[in-house]
Amino acid sequence: MGIISRIEPSDFRSAGFAELTPTQMKVLQGVHSGLLNKQIAYDLGIAEATVKAHMTALMRKLNVRNRTQVAIAAQAALWPQSADAAAA
């Protein structure tokens, strides 16, 4: 597997992320990593159209309008964990 498998779904602890399915979490991780839909689809073994459907669901559940805002939301959810790791 690619970079998507390196981040655990439990890394996203924010309440808004609790509603996401495991596959949506993996797509979110791919977006956060800067991957294209095609790359995410390849890593997950699903069709690119399926990734697009998951992106639409992510944007709706996270109440954002575009892919960049999805990535920013993912970063914001990871920020407390990154700060904790740096302090340790």
Side-chain angles (χ1 to χ4, degrees):
M1 280 229 179
I3 195 165
I4 293 174
S5 62
R6 296 184 196 157
I7 302 174
E8 294 297 320
S10 61
D11 290 340
F12 294 93
R13 298 177 187 166
S14 176
F17 295 96
E19 301 175 6
L20 303 181
T21 67
T23 305
Q24 289 169 347
M25 291 298 294
K26 290 177 183 176
V27 170
L28 178 66
Q29 293 162 1
V31 172
H32 178 260
S33 299
L35 299 178
L36 302 172
N37 286 349
K38 184 182 283 190
Q39 294 168 313
I40 296 169
Y42 179 81
D43 279 353
L44 298 179
I46 60 177
E48 187 175 354
T50 304
V51 173
K52 290 179 183 179
H54 285 302
M55 282 298 300
T56 299
L58 280 169
M59 288 186 276
R60 188 176 305 118
K61 287 181 178 181
L62 299 177
N63 196 29
V64 298
R65 293 183 179 197
N66 59 47
R67 182 184 191 92
T68 301
Q69 290 177 342
V70 170
I72 291 169
Q75 181 62 37
L78 283 175
W79 184 259
Q81 179 187 8
S82 299
D84 291 344

